[in-house]
Amino acid sequence: MDAVLQLLAGLLNLSCMHFVENVDSDGSQLAGSAEEEALQAASALLGLSAEMLLKVTTSRTLSAGRKADLEEYSVPLNVVQAQHSRDAIAKMVYAKVFNW
């Protein structure tokens, strides 16, 4: 039960992550220090690195080529896409928890 509550607390912190346009490059970034704290808390509660959690919410990976020559590209997400990515992660985890 403690693990389930920890997971749900991580998802609540995930929902506190808000994004703004990245001024240095294409894509999005966390809006401020409160969002950085939410990222750190969510990643700790979910058992992920903060860098990985930020990467999966602000970019997507595309694979191109044949199996032997497969190349992966990281494509930055805009603010709306980053919000959708964050919400999709939360929905998937909630679904898995409640199905379990």
Side-chain angles (χ1 to χ4, degrees):
M1 191 62 160
D2 287 340
V4 171
L5 293 175
Q6 179 177 338
L7 185 65
L8 296 176
L11 293 177
L12 289 173
N13 279 287
L14 185 68
S15 70
C16 294
M17 292 172 45
H18 302 286
F19 303 97
V20 294
E21 290 295 328
N22 191 339
V23 294
D24 296 330
S25 64
D26 291 338
S28 58
Q29 65 184 23
L30 292 174
S33 61
E35 285 76 9
E36 181 65 36
E37 289 176 19
L39 170 68
Q40 296 298 327
S43 63
L45 290 164
L46 296 173
L48 303 169
S49 72
E51 294 81 22
M52 180 58 68
L53 185 56
L54 184 60
K55 181 180 177 181
V56 299
T57 54
T58 59
S59 66
R60 68 173 178 236
T61 303
L62 295 177
S63 300
R66 296 182 181 199
K67 197 171 195 176
D69 299 323
L70 191 64
E71 293 186 41
E72 291 188 344
Y73 302 96
S74 181
V75 178
L77 301 176
N78 64 33
V79 172
V80 172
Q81 291 169 327
Q83 292 168 346
H84 287 299
S85 178
R86 175 201 62 204
D87 295 345
I89 292 167
K91 287 178 186 180
M92 182 203 58
V93 174
Y94 271 123
K96 297 282 185 185
V97 167
F98 287 107
N99 284 337
W100 175 74

